[in-house]
């Protein structure tokens, strides 16, 4: 008897849950059809906002674990597959549970191989000059965004990474696109869920990446699809789960 906790930062936007999150969850559930699966949000702020607005209560990772334990599952039979992009602050909320014997998988970008695979697949999905905008972090794992940006440029692709709160700020990316003469571009969220950040900070009409680019004279095609809409991302998370199960002798 085994169980799976699918853990994500979460979002207050219902459309992002349906469009971006549900397909990933459905794919992971299909890999362990006989397991009980529960969803957990690691952001307490998101949980509080949804409960206040809708009266619906999402579990955090601790509550999800306690729920499964109360149903008779043993800690060694509970697996957590994170849907976070980097091993940053939110991921660490999960990794500490390893000390209690819970099995925790990797985030999307855990190593150089993940970055190379992402770039290979992204180059097939995103056509034309593209800026991928991630959240960024004060955590040292913010380096993953820089590694991704360097891999894109190292392959000569007309793509770059910028972050909202990390070291990769917008100005150098905008300057690069101007120097290259790429005046028409795609602006895409490097976020699993295209919620508030995507709609306002990235693609919003004011005080956003889109607005700043248009002020510079760029023609911008802004996407509101989170990464969860792309099959190759769902496959990456599926491989993470299969690796987690295989590494623990339960393939």
């Amino acid at each position: 008897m085994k169980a799976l906790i699918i853990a994500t930062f979460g979002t207050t936007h219902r459309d992002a849950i349906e469009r971006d999150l549900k397909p990933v969850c459905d794919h992971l559930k299909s890999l362990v059809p006989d397991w009980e699966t529960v969803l957990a949000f690691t952001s307490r702020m998101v949980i509080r906002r949804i409960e206040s607005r809708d009266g619906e209560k999402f579990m955090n990772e601790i509550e999800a674990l306690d729920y499964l334990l109360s149903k008779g599952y043993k800690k060694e039979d509970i697996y957590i597959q994170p849907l976070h992009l980097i091993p940053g602050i939110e991921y660490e909320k999960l990794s500490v549970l390893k000390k209690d014997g819970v099995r925790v998988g990797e985030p999307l970008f855990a190593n150089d191989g993940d970055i190379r695979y992402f770039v290979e697949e992204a180059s097939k999905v995103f056509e034309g000059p593209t800026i991928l905008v991630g959240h960024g972090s004060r955590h040292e794992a913010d380096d993953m965004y820089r590694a991704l940006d360097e891999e894109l440029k190292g392959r000569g692709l007309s793509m770059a990474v910028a972050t909202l709160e990390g070291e990769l700020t917008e100005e150098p990316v905008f300057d690069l696109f101007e120097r290259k003469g790429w005046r028409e571009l795609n602006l895409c969220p490097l976020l699993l869920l295209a919620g508030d950040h995507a709609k306002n900070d990235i693609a919003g009409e004011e005080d956003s990446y889109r607005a700043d680019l248009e002020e510079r004279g760029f023609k911008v095609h802004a996407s509101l699809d989170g990464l969860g809409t792309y099959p190759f991302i769902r496959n990456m998370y599926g491989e993470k789960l299969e690796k987690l199960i295989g590494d623990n002798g339960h393939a």
Side-chain angles (χ1 to χ4, degrees), residues 7-109:
T8 176
F9 178 86
T11 179
T12 61
H13 291 254
R14 293 288 176 181
D15 59 333
I17 291 175
E18 289 298 317
R19 181 191 60 244
D20 306 328
L21 179 58
K22 188 176 182 296
V24 181
C25 292
D26 288 346
H27 179 61
L28 295 181
K29 290 176 183 179
S30 73
L31 300 177
V32 287
D34 298 326
W35 294 21
E36 180 165 359
T37 60
V38 296
L39 176 65
F41 285 2
T42 59
S43 171
R44 276 54 172 173
M45 175 188 67
V46 168
I47 292 172
R48 288 194 301 269
R49 287 183 179 178
I50 293 177
E51 187 172 17
S52 175
R53 184 190 67 195
D54 303 332
E56 182 179 5
K57 178 70 167 69
F58 281 84
M59 292 185 286
N60 64 41
E61 73 283 354
I62 301 298
E63 293 167 338
L65 177 58
D66 288 343
Y67 167 76
L68 291 172
L69 292 173
S70 73
K71 294 192 70 175
Y73 289 95
K74 298 178 181 179
K75 286 185 177 179
E76 58 267 27
D77 292 325
I78 298 174
Y79 294 70
I80 301 178
Q81 179 52 54
L83 301 185
H84 302 83
L85 266 64
I86 62 173
I89 296 169
E90 293 297 316
Y91 178 78
E92 287 183 345
K93 294 178 182 178
L94 305 172
S95 62
V96 297
L97 298 177
K98 291 181 181 179
K99 298 176 183 178
D100 293 329
V102 180
R103 309 178 193 281
V104 180
E106 296 176 342
L108 190 71
F109 299 126

Side-chain angles (χ1 to χ4, degrees), residues 138-156:
R138 299 184 304 275
H139 192 279
E140 62 183 12
D142 188 68
D143 288 346
M144 285 292 181
Y145 293 106
R146 185 171 297 281
L148 176 58
D149 185 61
E150 291 174 352
E151 183 70 18
L152 290 167
K153 292 173 181 174
R155 296 195 185 203

Side-chain angles (χ1 to χ4, degrees), residues 133-134 164 187-191 196-204 207-211 222-223:
V133 186
L164 298 171
L187 188 63
C188 302
L190 187 62
L191 305 164
D196 188 66
H197 282 308
K199 294 175 182 177
N200 297 311
D201 301 322
I202 298 175
D207 298 324
S208 67
Y209 267 52
R210 176 183 180 177
S223 169

